[in-house]
Amino acid sequence: SDALGTDVVYKLTDSYNVERFLKNVVSTVTISGLTSSFRNPVHFIDFLDRNVRDMYHETDAVIDSYLYHPSHAPFLALRFLQRFGISNPSPAYIKRASTAYKAGSYMGLFGSGNYGDLGAMIAAILLDPEARTASLDADPSHGHIREPFIKITSLLRSMEAFYHAPLNVPMMDGPDQVNRLGQGPYRSLSVFSFFLPEFVPSGALGDAGLVAPEAQVLKGDFIINLLDGMNSAVKFGLSNCHHG
């Protein structure tokens, strides 16, 4: 009937308790030369009468479509888990972390109860049994490789090193460190860090279908330079002795 035409706009509350206004029409976008397509692209702007208000609405709608996409929470949980020390978390671990993010709560003790609560997700990551069970230390696929810069800072902390000019530590900064170790503070060649999260090294890890992102910067010469520098720091302190 005319009451349900293509100009009708429905107001509804989705599963995330967010109010949405949806027009009763299907729009499908196809890309030339590809078989893939997607439907209902966000569109507010009138090409004949463009205005700032519609641009704001369209930008907000695009961001919301990313934020509430079904793949958003699992993707974010996986990346956080990898940065918190688990390169190959189990699917169940990812699900528990992403569920806490979407629910905005973990164990009823952490989080605001709103969708997208990072505090709830961090609590789920740090307090999960897979993060605290000692028996998993015997699992060779559990954990992750420390990247060179983290190895150095951990060594200096264990030695209780103190530097009077912490913003000018020769062994920690400078473009030469990237050439010697593959890393340096704020020296990443792109916004995507020094390594790819999906990097699969050759050998046993690759054969097992596991990823080791940090292994991408552990090249032969970098490893030798790292070991030389750490050995020199232990024996001679923060100096240039023996390639320190």
Side-chain angles (χ1 to χ4, degrees):
S1 65
D2 294 337
L4 296 178
T6 56
D7 291 329
V8 174
V9 175
Y10 296 96
K11 176 183 177 181
L12 57 87
T13 302
D14 64 15
S15 58
Y16 300 119
N17 202 33
V18 176
E19 283 191 351
R20 299 190 179 280
F21 295 88
L22 303 177
K23 192 174 182 180
N24 188 34
V25 63
V26 175
S27 301
T28 302
V29 174
T30 58
I31 302 175
S32 179
L34 299 177
T35 58
S36 58
S37 64
F38 58 94
R39 53 177 294 189
N40 290 336
V42 179
H43 180 68
F44 284 91
I45 299 174
D46 187 334
F47 293 121
L48 300 178
D49 183 23
R50 292 175 289 182
N51 60 74
V52 175
R53 184 204 64 177
D54 289 346
M55 293 179 184
Y56 279 125
H57 286 327
E58 185 162 319
T59 301
D60 285 342
V62 169
I63 293 174
D64 281 348
S65 69
Y66 294 148
L67 180 64
Y68 293 103
H69 193 278
S71 68
H72 169 69
F75 175 84
L76 198 63
L78 173 58
R79 293 294 176 261
F80 267 76
L81 281 162
Q82 288 183 316
R83 298 277 54 80
F84 274 83
I86 312 293
S87 291
N88 298 276
S90 69
Y93 197 177
I94 297 173
K95 182 178 180 180
R96 291 191 291 270
S98 62
T99 297
Y101 177 80
K102 291 187 290 186
S105 175
Y106 181 69
M107 300 177 64
L109 301 174
F110 305 93
S112 61
N114 298 319
Y115 176 90
D117 193 303
L118 287 174
M121 186 173 71
I122 296 301
I125 290 173
L126 297 179
L127 300 177
D128 192 88
E130 285 195 39
R132 300 181 294 115
T133 303
S135 60
L136 286 174
D137 291 342
D139 184 353
S141 67
H142 189 67
H144 78 147
I145 300 174
R146 281 188 177 182
E147 53 199 284
F149 195 75
I150 301 300
K151 285 180 179 289
I152 293 174
T153 55
S154 297
L155 173 67
L156 296 180
R157 284 177 177 174
S158 67
M159 297 173 62
E160 299 183 356
F162 180 82
Y163 207 81
H164 293 284
L167 298 181
N168 187 29
V169 182
M171 73 176 295
M172 301 292 284
D173 197 7
D176 186 53
Q177 294 307 101
V178 178
N179 298 327
R180 294 184 60 200
L181 302 175
Q183 281 189 310
Y186 309 110
R187 301 282 179 178
S188 175
L189 297 179
S190 77
V191 297
F192 300 107
S193 189
F194 297 92
F195 43 79
L196 299 175
E198 303 91 357
F199 179 74
V200 179
S202 58
L205 285 176
D207 294 340
L210 302 176
V211 300
E214 297 80 5
Q216 191 169 6
V217 294
L218 295 180
K219 300 179 182 178
D221 53 339
F222 293 162
I223 295 175
I224 293 174
N225 290 333
L226 176 63
L227 294 176
D228 282 345
M230 294 174 69
N231 179 67
S232 174
V234 172
K235 295 183 66 176
F236 307 109
L238 298 180
S239 70
N240 292 323
C241 293
H242 290 268
H243 307 287

